[in-house]
Amino acid sequence: MKLYTSLPSKLKPFFKAELVQYTDAYITGNLQQAWTHLERAHILGQKYPYAHSLVHWKMLCFGFKIKSAKEVIGQIPRLLVGGVKSFVGKVPVGNPGGANVPPMKPFPIASDIQAIFVQAGITSA
């Protein structure tokens, strides 16, 4: 069994860029765009415990910001177990991470995100 620990160095700039874009959109009040960047960061970082947990933390905070009980309640278990599942390699690939989708359902990965994985030298997302 492969144990995942930290985000690969070639993937970090892409993950961080999504978080910066999330913050920029959040600050300017473009909440839909902000959420999209969180989902993208989730897909990029979900195999890695710290990155995965960080995104779920930000999603939880976002849920409070928009006063969404569904999102807050949905993020709590994801925050508690997401990092553990990442560590042991049991994540639903492509899942955007929000409470509006089943937590263990895999999703197709958008072509631009798949291209990021290829550019970072990660063959299987």
Side-chain angles (χ1 to χ4, degrees):
M1 169 171 60
K2 175 148 175 64
L3 298 178
Y4 295 88
T5 53
S6 60
L7 205 61
S9 60
K10 290 183 179 181
L11 189 57
K12 279 182 188 179
F14 299 103
F15 178 77
K16 287 180 178 182
E18 292 296 339
L19 293 181
V20 166
Q21 291 173 68
Y22 155 73
T23 301
D24 291 346
Y26 183 88
I27 288 170
T28 61
N30 189 339
L31 299 181
Q32 181 58 49
Q33 185 180 16
W35 183 255
T36 297
H37 288 295
L38 278 181
E39 289 179 324
R40 291 173 58 84
H42 182 268
I43 294 166
L44 291 171
Q46 73 183 121
K47 284 176 66 173
Y48 311 98
Y50 175 76
H52 193 182
S53 297
L54 175 64
V55 173
H56 280 299
W57 172 253
K58 289 183 179 293
M59 287 179 163
L60 175 66
C61 293
F62 189 91
F64 280 113
K65 166 73 174 173
I66 65 169
K67 297 178 175 79
S68 170
K70 179 181 178 181
E71 196 61 49
V72 169
I73 291 167
Q75 286 305 321
I76 292 170
R78 288 166 172 85
L79 184 58
L80 295 174
V81 299
V84 174
K85 289 199 166 282
S86 296
F87 184 70
V88 297
K90 299 289 182 190
V91 295
V93 174
N95 186 295
N100 61 327
V101 298
M104 292 306 296
K105 181 180 179 183
F107 283 77
I109 298 175
S111 59
D112 65 319
I113 295 177
Q114 190 62 48
I116 290 170
F117 285 123
V118 170
Q119 188 174 346
I122 298 168
T123 55
S124 65

